[in-house]
Coordinates of all heavy atoms in Angstrom, one line a residue:
M1 N -4.3 1.2 26.3 CA -5.4 1.3 25.5 C -5.2 2.4 24.4 O -5.4 2.1 23.2 CB -6.7 1.5 26.1 CG -7.9 1.4 25.3 SD -8.2 -0.3 24.7 CE -9.8 -0.2 23.9
E2 N -4.9 3.6 24.9 CA -4.6 4.6 23.8 C -3.5 4.4 23.0 O -3.6 4.8 21.8 CB -4.3 5.9 24.7 CG -5.0 7.1 24.3 CD -4.8 8.3 25.2 OE1 -5.5 8.4 26.3 OE2 -3.9 9.1 25.0
H3 N -2.4 3.8 23.5 CA -1.3 3.4 22.6 C -1.6 2.4 21.6 O -1.2 2.6 20.4 CB -0.2 2.9 23.6 CG 1.1 2.6 22.9 ND1 1.5 1.3 22.3 CD2 2.2 3.5 22.6 CE1 2.6 1.5 21.7 NE2 3.1 2.7 21.9
T4 N -2.5 1.5 21.7 CA -2.9 0.6 20.8 C -3.8 1.2 19.7 O -3.6 0.9 18.6 CB -3.7 -0.6 21.5 OG1 -3.0 -1.2 22.5 CG2 -4.1 -1.7 20.4
F5 N -4.6 2.2 20.1 CA -5.4 2.9 19.1 C -4.6 3.7 18.3 O -4.8 3.7 17.0 CB -6.5 3.7 19.9 CG -7.3 4.5 19.0 CD1 -8.3 3.8 18.3 CD2 -7.2 5.9 18.8 CE1 -9.2 4.6 17.4 CE2 -8.1 6.5 17.9 CZ -9.0 5.9 17.2
A6 N -3.5 4.4 18.7 CA -2.6 5.1 17.9 C -1.9 4.2 17.0 O -1.7 4.6 15.7 CB -1.6 5.9 18.8
L7 N -1.5 3.1 17.4 CA -0.8 2.1 16.5 C -1.7 1.6 15.4 O -1.3 1.6 14.2 CB -0.3 0.9 17.3 CG 0.3 -0.2 16.6 CD1 1.7 0.3 16.0 CD2 0.6 -1.5 17.4
E8 N -3.0 1.4 15.7 CA -3.9 0.9 14.7 C -4.2 2.0 13.6 O -4.2 1.8 12.5 CB -5.2 0.4 15.3 CG -5.0 -0.8 16.1 CD -6.3 -1.2 16.8 OE1 -7.3 -0.5 16.9 OE2 -6.3 -2.3 17.5
I9 N -4.3 3.3 14.2 CA -4.5 4.4 13.2 C -3.3 4.6 12.3 O -3.5 4.8 11.1 CB -4.9 5.7 14.1 CG1 -6.2 5.6 14.7 CG2 -4.9 6.9 13.0 CD1 -7.4 5.3 13.8
T10 N -2.2 4.5 12.9 CA -0.9 4.6 12.1 C -0.8 3.5 11.0 O -0.5 3.8 9.9 CB 0.4 4.6 12.9 OG1 0.1 5.7 13.9 CG2 1.5 4.9 12.2
W11 N -1.2 2.3 11.4 CA -1.1 1.1 10.6 C -2.1 1.3 9.4 O -1.7 1.1 8.2 CB -1.5 -0.1 11.5 CG -1.2 -1.4 10.8 CD1 -2.0 -2.0 9.9 CD2 -0.2 -2.3 11.1 NE1 -1.5 -3.3 9.5 CE2 -0.3 -3.5 10.4 CE3 0.9 -2.3 12.0 CZ2 0.6 -4.5 10.4 CZ3 1.7 -3.3 12.1 CH2 1.5 -4.4 11.3
V12 N -3.3 1.8 9.6 CA -4.3 2.0 8.7 C -3.8 3.1 7.8 O -4.0 3.1 6.4 CB -5.7 2.3 9.2 CG1 -6.6 2.7 8.2 CG2 -6.2 1.0 9.9
A13 N -3.3 4.1 8.3 CA -2.8 5.3 7.5 C -1.7 5.0 6.5 O -1.7 5.4 5.3 CB -2.4 6.5 8.4
I14 N -0.7 4.1 6.9 CA 0.3 3.6 6.1 C -0.4 2.8 4.9 O 0.1 3.0 3.8 CB 1.3 2.8 6.9 CG1 2.0 3.8 7.8 CG2 2.3 2.1 5.9 CD1 3.0 3.0 8.9
H15 N -1.3 2.0 5.2 CA -1.9 1.2 4.1 C -2.7 2.1 3.2 O -2.7 1.8 1.9 CB -2.8 0.2 4.7 CG -2.0 -1.0 5.5 ND1 -1.5 -0.7 6.7 CD2 -1.6 -2.1 5.0 CE1 -0.9 -1.8 7.0 NE2 -0.9 -2.7 6.0
L16 N -3.3 3.1 3.6 CA -4.1 4.0 2.7 C -3.1 4.8 1.9 O -3.3 5.0 0.6 CB -4.9 5.0 3.5 CG -6.1 4.4 4.1 CD1 -6.8 5.5 5.1 CD2 -7.0 3.9 3.1
V17 N -1.9 5.2 2.5 CA -0.9 5.9 1.6 C -0.4 4.9 0.5 O -0.2 5.4 -0.6 CB 0.3 6.5 2.5 CG1 1.5 6.8 1.7 CG2 -0.3 7.6 3.4
G18 N -0.2 3.7 0.9 CA 0.3 2.7 -0.1 C -0.7 2.4 -1.2 O -0.4 2.4 -2.4
L19 N -2.0 2.4 -0.9 CA -3.0 2.3 -1.9 C -3.2 3.5 -2.8 O -3.3 3.4 -4.1 CB -4.3 1.8 -1.3 CG -4.5 0.5 -0.7 CD1 -5.7 0.2 0.1 CD2 -4.3 -0.6 -1.8
I20 N -3.1 4.6 -2.2 CA -3.1 5.8 -3.0 C -1.9 5.9 -3.9 O -2.0 6.4 -5.0 CB -3.2 7.1 -2.0 CG1 -4.5 7.1 -1.4 CG2 -3.0 8.4 -2.8 CD1 -4.7 8.1 -0.2
A21 N -0.7 5.6 -3.4 CA 0.5 5.6 -4.3 C 0.3 4.6 -5.4 O 0.7 4.9 -6.5 CB 1.7 5.2 -3.4
A22 N -0.3 3.5 -5.2 CA -0.5 2.6 -6.3 C -1.5 3.0 -7.3 O -1.4 2.9 -8.5 CB -1.0 1.2 -5.8
W23 N -2.4 3.7 -6.8 CA -3.5 4.3 -7.7 C -2.9 5.5 -8.5 O -3.2 5.7 -9.8 CB -4.7 4.8 -6.9 CG -5.8 5.5 -7.7 CD1 -6.7 4.9 -8.6 CD2 -6.0 6.9 -7.7 NE1 -7.4 5.9 -9.1 CE2 -7.1 7.1 -8.5 CE3 -5.4 8.0 -7.0 CZ2 -7.6 8.4 -9.0 CZ3 -6.0 9.3 -7.3 CH2 -7.0 9.5 -8.2
M24 N -2.1 6.3 -7.8 CA -1.4 7.4 -8.5 C -0.5 6.9 -9.6 O -0.3 7.7 -10.7 CB -0.7 8.3 -7.5 CG -1.6 9.0 -6.6 SD -2.7 10.3 -7.3 CE -1.4 11.5 -7.9
V25 N 0.2 5.9 -9.5 CA 1.0 5.4 -10.6 C 0.3 5.2 -11.8 O 0.8 5.4 -12.9 CB 1.7 4.0 -10.1 CG1 2.4 3.3 -11.3 CG2 2.8 4.3 -9.0
R26 N -1.0 4.7 -11.8 CA -1.8 4.4 -12.8 C -2.5 5.7 -13.4 O -2.8 5.8 -14.6 CB -2.8 3.5 -12.6 CG -2.4 2.0 -12.4 CD -1.9 1.7 -13.7 NE -1.4 0.3 -13.7 CZ -0.7 -0.3 -14.7 NH1 -0.5 0.4 -15.7 NH2 -0.2 -1.5 -14.5
Q27 N -2.5 6.8 -12.6 CA -3.3 7.9 -13.0 C -2.5 9.1 -13.7 O -3.0 9.7 -14.6 CB -4.0 8.5 -11.8 CG -5.2 7.6 -11.2 CD -6.2 7.3 -12.3 OE1 -6.7 8.2 -13.0 NE2 -6.6 6.0 -12.3
E28 N -1.3 9.2 -13.1 CA -0.4 10.3 -13.6 C 0.1 10.1 -15.0 O 0.6 9.1 -15.2 CB 0.7 10.6 -12.6 CG 0.2 11.0 -11.3 CD -0.6 12.4 -11.3 OE1 -0.3 13.2 -12.3 OE2 -1.4 12.5 -10.6
A29 N 0.1 11.1 -15.8 CA 0.5 11.0 -17.2 C 1.8 11.8 -17.5 O 2.7 11.4 -18.3 CB -0.5 11.4 -18.1
T30 N 2.0 12.9 -16.8 CA 3.1 13.7 -17.0 C 4.4 13.0 -16.5 O 4.3 12.3 -15.4 CB 3.0 15.1 -16.5 OG1 2.9 15.1 -15.1 CG2 1.8 15.8 -17.1
A31 N 5.6 13.2 -17.1 CA 6.8 12.6 -16.7 C 7.2 12.9 -15.3 O 7.6 12.0 -14.4 CB 8.0 12.9 -17.7
S32 N 7.2 14.2 -14.8 CA 7.6 14.5 -13.5 C 6.6 13.9 -12.5 O 7.1 13.5 -11.4 CB 7.6 16.1 -13.3 OG 6.3 16.7 -13.5
R33 N 5.4 14.0 -12.7 CA 4.4 13.5 -11.7 C 4.5 12.0 -11.7 O 4.4 11.3 -10.7 CB 2.9 13.9 -12.0 CG 2.7 15.4 -11.7 CD 1.3 15.7 -11.8 NE 1.0 16.9 -11.3 CZ -0.2 17.5 -11.5 NH1 -1.2 16.9 -12.0 NH2 -0.5 18.8 -10.9
Q34 N 4.7 11.3 -12.8 CA 4.8 9.9 -12.9 C 6.1 9.5 -12.1 O 6.0 8.4 -11.4 CB 4.9 9.4 -14.3 CG 5.1 7.9 -14.5 CD 3.8 7.2 -14.2 OE1 2.7 7.8 -14.3 NE2 3.8 5.9 -13.9
A35 N 7.2 10.1 -12.2 CA 8.4 9.8 -11.4 C 8.1 9.9 -10.0 O 8.5 9.2 -9.2 CB 9.6 10.8 -11.9
L36 N 7.4 11.0 -9.5 CA 7.0 11.2 -8.2 C 6.1 10.0 -7.6 O 6.3 9.6 -6.6 CB 6.4 12.5 -7.9 CG 6.0 12.9 -6.5 CD1 7.3 13.0 -5.6 CD2 5.4 14.3 -6.5
A37 N 5.1 9.7 -8.4 CA 4.2 8.6 -8.1 C 4.9 7.3 -7.9 O 4.6 6.5 -7.0 CB 3.0 8.5 -9.1
Q38 N 5.9 7.0 -8.8 CA 6.5 5.8 -8.8 C 7.5 5.7 -7.6 O 7.6 4.7 -7.0 CB 7.4 5.6 -10.1 CG 6.5 5.2 -11.3 CD 7.3 5.1 -12.6 OE1 8.5 5.3 -12.6 NE2 6.7 4.6 -13.6
S39 N 8.1 6.9 -7.3 CA 9.0 6.9 -6.1 C 8.2 6.6 -4.9 O 8.6 5.8 -4.0 CB 9.6 8.3 -6.1 OG 10.4 8.4 -7.1
G40 N 7.0 7.2 -4.7 CA 6.1 6.9 -3.6 C 5.7 5.5 -3.5 O 5.6 4.9 -2.5
F41 N 5.4 4.9 -4.6 CA 4.9 3.6 -4.7 C 6.0 2.6 -4.3 O 5.9 1.8 -3.5 CB 4.5 3.2 -6.1 CG 4.2 1.8 -6.3 CD1 2.9 1.3 -5.9 CD2 5.0 0.9 -6.8 CE1 2.6 -0.1 -6.0 CE2 4.8 -0.5 -7.0 CZ 3.5 -1.0 -6.7
F42 N 7.3 2.9 -4.8 CA 8.4 2.1 -4.5 C 8.9 2.3 -3.1 O 9.5 1.3 -2.4 CB 9.6 2.3 -5.5 CG 9.3 1.7 -6.8 CD1 9.5 2.5 -8.0 CD2 8.8 0.4 -7.0 CE1 9.3 1.9 -9.3 CE2 8.6 -0.1 -8.2 CZ 8.8 0.7 -9.3
A43 N 8.6 3.3 -2.4 CA 8.9 3.6 -1.1 C 7.9 2.8 -0.2 O 8.2 2.3 0.9 CB 8.9 5.0 -0.7
C44 N 6.6 2.8 -0.7 CA 5.5 2.1 0.2 C 5.6 0.6 0.1 O 5.3 -0.1 1.0 CB 4.2 2.6 -0.2 SG 3.9 4.3 0.3
L45 N 5.9 0.1 -1.1 CA 5.9 -1.3 -1.3 C 6.6 -2.2 -0.2 O 6.1 -3.1 0.3 CB 6.4 -1.7 -2.7 CG 6.0 -3.1 -3.2 CD1 4.4 -3.3 -3.3 CD2 6.5 -3.2 -4.7
P46 N 7.9 -1.8 -0.1 CA 8.8 -2.6 0.9 C 8.2 -2.4 2.4 O 8.3 -3.2 3.3 CB 10.1 -2.2 0.8 CG 10.1 -1.0 0.0 CD 8.8 -0.9 -0.8
L47 N 7.7 -1.1 2.6 CA 7.2 -0.8 4.0 C 6.0 -1.6 4.3 O 5.9 -2.1 5.3 CB 6.8 0.6 4.0 CG 6.3 1.1 5.3 CD1 7.2 0.9 6.5 CD2 5.9 2.6 5.2
I48 N 5.0 -1.9 3.3 CA 3.9 -2.6 3.4 C 4.3 -4.1 3.6 O 3.7 -4.9 4.5 CB 2.9 -2.5 2.3 CG1 2.5 -1.0 2.2 CG2 1.7 -3.5 2.5 CD1 1.6 -0.6 3.3
A49 N 5.3 -4.5 2.8 CA 5.7 -5.9 2.9 C 6.4 -6.3 4.3 O 6.1 -7.2 5.0 CB 6.8 -6.3 1.8
L50 N 7.1 -5.2 4.8 CA 7.7 -5.4 6.2 C 6.6 -5.4 7.2 O 6.6 -6.3 8.1 CB 8.6 -4.2 6.5 CG 9.3 -4.3 7.8 CD1 10.2 -5.5 7.9 CD2 10.1 -3.0 8.0
L51 N 5.6 -4.7 7.0 CA 4.5 -4.6 8.0 C 3.7 -5.9 8.0 O 3.3 -6.4 9.0 CB 3.5 -3.5 7.7 CG 4.0 -2.0 8.2 CD1 3.0 -0.9 7.7 CD2 4.2 -1.9 9.6
T52 N 3.7 -6.5 6.9 CA 2.9 -7.8 6.7 C 3.7 -8.9 7.4 O 3.1 -9.6 8.2 CB 2.8 -8.2 5.2 OG1 2.1 -7.2 4.5 CG2 2.1 -9.5 5.1
I53 N 5.0 -8.8 7.2 CA 5.8 -9.9 7.9 C 5.8 -9.7 9.5 O 5.7 -10.7 10.3 CB 7.2 -9.8 7.4 CG1 7.3 -10.3 5.9 CG2 8.2 -10.6 8.1 CD1 8.5 -10.1 5.2
L54 N 6.0 -8.4 9.8 CA 6.0 -8.2 11.3 C 4.7 -8.6 11.9 O 4.6 -9.0 13.1 CB 6.3 -6.7 11.6 CG 7.8 -6.3 11.3 CD1 8.0 -4.8 11.5 CD2 8.8 -7.0 12.2
G55 N 3.6 -8.2 11.2 CA 2.3 -8.5 11.8 C 2.1 -9.9 11.9 O 1.4 -10.5 12.9
Q56 N 2.5 -10.7 11.0 CA 2.4 -12.3 11.0 C 3.3 -12.8 12.2 O 2.8 -13.7 12.9 CB 2.7 -12.9 9.7 CG 2.3 -14.3 9.8 CD 2.4 -14.9 8.4 OE1 3.1 -14.4 7.5 NE2 1.7 -16.0 8.2
V57 N 4.5 -12.3 12.3 CA 5.5 -12.8 13.2 C 4.9 -12.6 14.6 O 5.0 -13.4 15.5 CB 6.8 -12.3 13.0 CG1 7.8 -12.5 14.2 CG2 7.5 -12.8 11.7
Y58 N 4.6 -11.4 14.9 CA 4.0 -10.9 16.2 C 2.5 -11.2 16.5 O 2.0 -10.7 17.4 CB 4.4 -9.5 16.5 CG 5.9 -9.2 16.6 CD1 6.6 -8.6 15.5 CD2 6.6 -9.8 17.6 CE1 7.9 -8.4 15.6 CE2 7.9 -9.6 17.7 CZ 8.6 -9.0 16.8 OH 9.9 -8.9 16.8
C59 N 2.0 -11.9 15.6 CA 0.5 -12.4 15.7 C -0.4 -11.1 15.9 O -1.3 -11.1 16.7 CB 0.4 -13.3 16.9 SG 1.2 -14.9 16.5
L60 N -0.2 -10.0 15.2 CA -1.1 -8.8 15.2 C -2.4 -9.2 14.5 O -2.3 -9.8 13.4 CB -0.4 -7.6 14.7 CG 0.9 -7.2 15.5 CD1 1.5 -6.1 14.7 CD2 0.6 -6.9 16.9
D61 N -3.5 -8.7 15.0 CA -4.8 -9.0 14.4 C -4.8 -8.4 12.9 O -5.7 -8.8 12.2 CB -5.9 -8.6 15.2 CG -6.0 -9.3 16.5 OD1 -5.6 -10.5 16.5 OD2 -6.6 -8.8 17.5
M62 N -4.1 -7.3 12.7 CA -4.3 -6.5 11.5 C -3.4 -7.1 10.3 O -3.4 -6.4 9.3 CB -4.0 -5.0 11.8 CG -5.1 -4.5 12.7 SD -5.0 -2.8 13.1 CE -5.4 -2.1 11.5
W63 N -2.6 -8.1 10.5 CA -1.6 -8.4 9.4 C -2.4 -8.9 8.2 O -1.8 -8.6 7.0 CB -0.6 -9.5 9.9 CG -1.2 -10.9 9.9 CD1 -1.7 -11.6 10.9 CD2 -1.2 -11.8 8.8 NE1 -2.0 -12.9 10.6 CE2 -1.7 -13.0 9.3 CE3 -0.8 -11.7 7.5 CZ2 -1.9 -14.2 8.4 CZ3 -1.0 -12.9 6.7 CH2 -1.5 -14.0 7.1
P64 N -3.6 -9.4 8.2 CA -4.2 -9.7 6.9 C -4.6 -8.4 6.1 O -4.5 -8.4 4.9 CB -5.6 -10.5 7.3 CG -5.2 -11.1 8.6 CD -4.4 -10.0 9.3
L65 N -4.8 -7.3 6.8 CA -5.0 -6.0 6.1 C -3.6 -5.7 5.3 O -3.7 -5.2 4.2 CB -5.2 -4.9 7.2 CG -5.2 -3.5 6.5 CD1 -6.4 -3.4 5.6 CD2 -5.4 -2.5 7.7
S66 N -2.6 -5.9 6.0 CA -1.3 -5.7 5.3 C -1.1 -6.6 4.1 O -0.7 -6.1 3.0 CB -0.1 -5.9 6.2 OG -0.1 -5.0 7.3
A67 N -1.4 -7.9 4.2 CA -1.3 -8.8 3.1 C -2.2 -8.4 1.9 O -1.9 -8.4 0.8 CB -1.6 -10.2 3.6
G68 N -3.5 -8.0 2.3 CA -4.4 -7.6 1.3 C -4.0 -6.2 0.6 O -4.1 -6.1 -0.7
T69 N -3.4 -5.4 1.3 CA -2.9 -4.1 0.7 C -1.7 -4.3 -0.1 O -1.6 -3.8 -1.2 CB -2.4 -3.2 1.8 OG1 -3.6 -2.9 2.7 CG2 -2.0 -1.8 1.3
L70 N -0.8 -5.2 0.3 CA 0.3 -5.6 -0.6 C -0.1 -6.2 -1.9 O 0.4 -5.9 -3.0 CB 1.2 -6.6 0.3 CG 2.5 -6.9 -0.5 CD1 3.4 -5.7 -0.7 CD2 3.3 -7.9 0.4
G71 N -1.1 -7.1 -1.8 CA -1.6 -7.8 -3.0 C -2.3 -6.8 -3.9 O -2.1 -6.8 -5.1
A72 N -3.1 -5.9 -3.4 CA -3.7 -4.9 -4.1 C -2.8 -4.0 -4.8 O -2.9 -3.5 -6.0 CB -4.7 -4.1 -3.4
M73 N -1.6 -3.6 -4.1 CA -0.6 -2.8 -4.8 C 0.0 -3.5 -5.9 O 0.3 -2.9 -6.9 CB 0.4 -2.3 -3.7 CG -0.2 -1.3 -2.7 SD 1.1 -0.8 -1.4 CE 2.3 0.0 -2.4
I74 N 0.4 -4.7 -5.7 CA 1.0 -5.5 -6.8 C 0.1 -5.6 -7.9 O 0.7 -5.4 -9.1 CB 1.6 -6.8 -6.2 CG1 2.7 -6.6 -5.1 CG2 2.1 -7.7 -7.4 CD1 3.1 -7.9 -4.4
V75 N -1.1 -5.9 -7.7 CA -2.0 -6.1 -8.8 C -2.2 -4.9 -9.6 O -2.2 -4.7 -10.8 CB -3.3 -6.7 -8.3 CG1 -4.4 -6.6 -9.4 CG2 -3.2 -8.2 -8.0
T76 N -2.3 -3.8 -8.9 CA -2.5 -2.4 -9.5 C -1.3 -2.0 -10.3 O -1.4 -1.4 -11.4 CB -2.7 -1.3 -8.4 OG1 -3.9 -1.7 -7.7 CG2 -3.0 0.1 -9.0
A77 N -0.1 -2.4 -9.9 CA 1.2 -2.0 -10.6 C 1.3 -2.9 -11.8 O 1.8 -2.5 -12.8 CB 2.3 -2.2 -9.7
V78 N 0.8 -4.1 -11.8 CA 1.1 -5.1 -12.9 C -0.1 -5.0 -13.9 O 0.2 -5.0 -15.2 CB 1.2 -6.5 -12.4 CG1 1.3 -7.5 -13.5 CG2 2.5 -6.5 -11.5
V79 N -1.3 -5.0 -13.5 CA -2.5 -5.1 -14.4 C -2.8 -3.8 -15.0 O -2.9 -2.8 -14.4 CB -3.7 -5.7 -13.7 CG1 -4.9 -5.7 -14.6 CG2 -3.4 -7.0 -13.2
D80 N -3.0 -3.7 -16.3 CA -3.4 -2.5 -17.1 C -5.0 -2.5 -17.1 O -5.6 -3.4 -17.7 CB -2.8 -2.5 -18.5 CG -3.1 -1.3 -19.1 OD1 -3.6 -0.2 -18.6 OD2 -2.9 -1.2 -20.4
F81 N -5.6 -1.6 -16.4 CA -7.0 -1.5 -16.3 C -7.5 -0.6 -17.5 O -8.8 -0.4 -17.5 CB -7.4 -1.0 -15.0 CG -7.0 -1.8 -13.8 CD1 -6.0 -1.4 -13.0 CD2 -7.7 -3.0 -13.6 CE1 -5.6 -2.3 -12.0 CE2 -7.3 -3.7 -12.5 CZ -6.3 -3.5 -11.7
G82 N -6.8 -0.1 -18.3 CA -7.2 0.8 -19.5 C -8.0 0.1 -20.4 O -8.1 -1.3 -20.5
P83 N -8.6 0.7 -21.4 CA -9.5 0.1 -22.4 C -8.5 -0.6 -23.3 O -7.5 -0.2 -23.6 CB -10.1 1.3 -23.1 CG -9.3 2.5 -22.7 CD -8.8 2.2 -21.5
R84 N -9.0 -1.7 -23.8 CA -8.2 -2.6 -24.8 C -8.5 -2.0 -26.2 O -9.7 -1.7 -26.6 CB -8.7 -4.0 -24.6 CG -8.3 -4.6 -23.4 CD -8.6 -6.0 -23.4 NE -8.2 -6.6 -22.1 CZ -7.5 -7.7 -22.0 NH1 -7.2 -8.5 -23.1 NH2 -7.1 -8.1 -20.9
T85 N -7.4 -2.0 -26.9 CA -7.5 -1.5 -28.4 C -7.1 -2.7 -29.2 O -6.2 -3.4 -28.9 CB -6.7 -0.3 -28.7 OG1 -5.3 -0.6 -28.4 CG2 -7.2 0.9 -27.9
S86 N -7.8 -2.9 -30.3 CA -7.4 -4.0 -31.1 C -6.7 -3.6 -32.4 O -6.5 -2.6 -32.7 CB -8.7 -4.9 -31.6 OG -9.6 -4.0 -32.1

């Protein structure tokens, strides 16, 4: 039971790091911080994708969390949420 709880906490922590990395890519403006944020994002993206696949293959209950996190990271990276200028 304790082992499962630790696995779930680790699983959630990895997803939070991925979402924070996606958010940081959009927030950082300086070149050095932007490069660091992008590196973190590109490190987390394949990790979240792998967790999604492993979760689905091994029928883990938390794999939809991975799929949702992966989708949110991709949308955050692609969509520009800033104000539109004409």
